[in-house]
Amino acid sequence: MMLVLIKNALILPIDDAMSVIDNGYVHIDGDTIVAAGAGAAPEIPNAEIIDADGDLVMPGMVNPHCHMAMTLFRGLGEDVDDRLYRYVLPMERKFVTPEMVRVGTELAALELIEAGVTTVADMYYFETEVGRVVDRAGFRGVVGQTIADFNPPDHKTIDEGFALAEQLVAEFAGHDRVIPSIAPHAPYSTDIAVMNRVARWAEDHPDVPVQIHLAEMDSEMEWCAKNHGMRPVEVVDKAGLLRKGLICAHCLHVNESDIAKMAHAQVCVAHNARSNAKAGRGIAPVEAMRKAGIPVGIATDGPMSGNTLDLFSQFAPVTMFQKLLGHSRKPMPAVDVIRMATIEGARVLGLDRKLGSLEPGKKADLIRIDLSAPRMQPVYDIYASLMFSAMPVDVRDVMVAGKWLMRGREVLSLERRKVMRDALQIAGQFKAEMARIDAAG
Ligand SMILES: [Zn+2]
């Protein structure tokens, strides 16, 4: 077994006390953390010794809502008001193949690892391809096969959608890092009968997490009111899907009674601040949901909606929007934000017993962050520095399950040049198609 000892590090174990350990060490045996503490590092014969030279060591970050393959759509038609119907949906139907999903997900994997994200929850199409990329790239993924009734690229009927979910489960059941998941797209794109079928299917697959977009848009509110005379949370509840561990993305349009229902059902929330703001959708009541006991993680949404997949670029909007809501500097302090990015995000995915903190028995998923950039100094409150000053380029090393995925900013588990070349080649096809659409008027 590989033994690793990281010493002379500023350690954020993300324990209950949110301790800050100056000059500490982390001892790793195989894929597991044996010890993390202050003071002189223990003598460990045959260990790889890493002198962190005062750099920060903390748990890898958790991004609980993403559509990784959509990196290939990043920035496309950004200022075109009807870009979804003009470009994206027709192009998804034309271009989304297993190969495109592989290439887009590899680009995302490179970006995530470079940014210190070690666990991601994804929902898209041809999700077995996504699982395979996560497997090869060495990080962790909750990979969700989307089920929707709008004729998506990989299934014409709901039965076909469930068959894809079954295949995904068959391929990855028991995998240490790739967790198969099922993702009914949203209330308006599945409706009660399909959501109910997912709920019953999930009863038979207790280890398969369920993900859904929920209470995200005004049009969703209108759809739920018109078709069921209810609010989105109530529609999901009526379908029997508001169940323990349900990973709900967005949850902007939730009132006090919705929040009480969600807390009672023990659902979890993935908060997508930048994506929500870019579309002008509103501000999720994050503080109220957390106060009610609902775990909330910090997510990016897909790169078309949120552009980047790192959590650093989410931190400022996450805290600022709650401060704006509260007309005060106090809401959503830095320790809470970093907690949400780590252990609370892990809890959203049902993985907090396994990861999210640097504590004995946890999986060795950790990142080393260089604090030497001028914008990172001085440090009075390391959590505030992380929230407002740190950027993905500051992440120097990344370890998942005891294996280095990045050392000295070089990703070891993916061929960077090939990933970029494949992505740009498909982007060229997208550009040509956009030109064709524009020429057609
Ligand atoms: Zn989404």
Side-chain angles (χ1 to χ4, degrees), residues 10-21 25-26 33 36-37 56-62 290 315 334-347 352-360 362-363 365-367 369 381-384 386-387:
L10 170 63
I11 296 176
L12 299 182
I14 315 292
D15 52 7
D16 288 343
M18 291 303 275
S19 317
V20 177
I21 302 174
Y25 64 90
V26 185
I33 294 168
L56 171 69
V57 173
M58 64 180 279
M61 288 185 258
V62 179
R290 292 181 80 231
F315 293 161
V335 283
D336 286 30
V337 169
I338 303 307
R339 232 183 133 69
M340 289 165 72
T342 51
I343 188 74
E344 198 165 324
R347 201 170 147 214
D352 52 316
R353 292 174 63 154
K354 199 170 159 180
L355 42 108
S357 65
L358 304 182
E359 293 176 291
K362 288 280 181 96
K363 294 292 177 192
D365 293 8
L366 56 82
I367 60 178
I369 296 180
D381 170 354
I382 186 63
Y383 292 111
L386 281 174
M387 184 166 75

Side-chain angles (χ1 to χ4, degrees), residues 65-67 123 185 213 216 249-250 272 275 301-302 305:
H65 181 68
C66 194
H67 313 286
M123 53 195 278
H185 178 267
H213 291 111
E216 178 184 4
H250 298 287
N272 304 271
S275 156
D301 207 352
S305 316

Side-chain angles (χ1 to χ4, degrees), residues 186-202:
Y188 57 86
S189 49
T190 53
D191 212 343
I192 285 182
V194 173
M195 284 190 283
N196 180 256
R197 185 169 162 189
V198 171
R200 283 181 284 122
W201 186 90

Side-chain angles (χ1 to χ4, degrees), residues 167-189:
Q167 281 170 27
L168 181 70
V169 171
E171 182 158 336
F172 294 105
H175 194 293
D176 178 46
R177 290 180 292 99
V178 182
I179 299 169
S181 159
I182 190 166
H185 178 267
Y188 57 86
S189 49

Side-chain angles (χ1 to χ4, degrees), residues 281-301:
R281 291 199 170 117
I283 299 176
V286 174
E287 288 234 302
M289 291 191 283
R290 292 181 80 231
K291 224 170 251 165
I294 300 169
V296 181
I298 296 174
T300 59
D301 207 352

Side-chain angles (χ1 to χ4, degrees), residues 183-418:
H185 178 267
Y188 57 86
S189 49
T190 53
D191 212 343
I192 285 182
V194 173
M195 284 190 283
N196 180 256
R197 185 169 162 189
V198 171
R200 283 181 284 122
W201 186 90
E203 291 288 320
D204 295 334
H205 299 79
D207 298 332
V208 179
V210 185
Q211 312 178 50
I212 191 168
H213 291 111
L214 180 59
E216 178 184 4
M217 294 180 286
D218 291 339
S219 59
E220 177 184 354
M221 298 287 286
E222 286 154 20
W223 184 93
C224 291
K226 184 167 161 248
N227 289 280
H228 299 289
M230 290 180 201
R231 302 172 57 81
V233 169
E234 295 169 324
V235 172
V236 174
D237 192 20
K238 190 179 176 203
L241 193 60
L242 206 70
R243 59 200 290 283
K244 188 176 177 184
L246 179 70
I247 301 159
C248 307
H250 298 287
C251 301
L252 303 180
H253 302 295
V254 290
N255 63 19
E256 238 174 87
S257 134
D258 294 331
I259 291 173
K261 276 195 184 71
M262 291 160 68
H264 180 74
Q266 296 181 265
V267 306
C268 305
V269 170
H271 174 49
N272 304 271
R274 260 172 70 126
S275 156
N276 295 340
K278 254 185 77 187
R281 291 199 170 117
I283 299 176
V286 174
E287 288 234 302
M289 291 191 283
R290 292 181 80 231
K291 224 170 251 165
I294 300 169
V296 181
I298 296 174
T300 59
D301 207 352
M304 230 194 87
S305 316
N307 299 68
T308 55
L309 304 182
D310 65 282
L311 296 197
F312 296 108
S313 52
Q314 302 293 330
F315 293 161
V318 165
T319 188
M320 284 175 184
F321 296 165
Q322 300 307 308
K323 290 178 191 331
L324 286 165
L325 271 185
H327 287 260
S328 156
R329 197 176 279 279
K330 272 177 86 174
M332 203 92 276
V335 283
D336 286 30
V337 169
I338 303 307
R339 232 183 133 69
M340 289 165 72
T342 51
I343 188 74
E344 198 165 324
R347 201 170 147 214
V348 169
L349 303 182
L351 298 170
D352 52 316
R353 292 174 63 154
K354 199 170 159 180
L355 42 108
S357 65
L358 304 182
E359 293 176 291
K362 288 280 181 96
K363 294 292 177 192
D365 293 8
L366 56 82
I367 60 178
R368 173 176 171 183
I369 296 180
D370 183 345
L371 302 175
S372 67
R375 93 188 107 68
M376 293 299 290
Q377 294 294 332
V379 175
Y380 295 111
D381 170 354
I382 186 63
Y383 292 111
S385 304
L386 281 174
M387 184 166 75
F388 284 131
S389 303
M391 298 175 81
V393 293
D394 299 320
V395 179
R396 179 188 162 132
D397 300 332
V398 175
M399 173 185 275
V400 173
K403 284 210 179 87
W404 293 110
L405 303 187
M406 182 167 84
R407 288 301 293 274
R409 290 217 49 80
E410 188 194 346
V411 175
L412 306 172
S413 54
L414 289 158
E415 279 182 68
R416 187 195 180 83
R417 276 222 196 133
K418 183 175 185 308

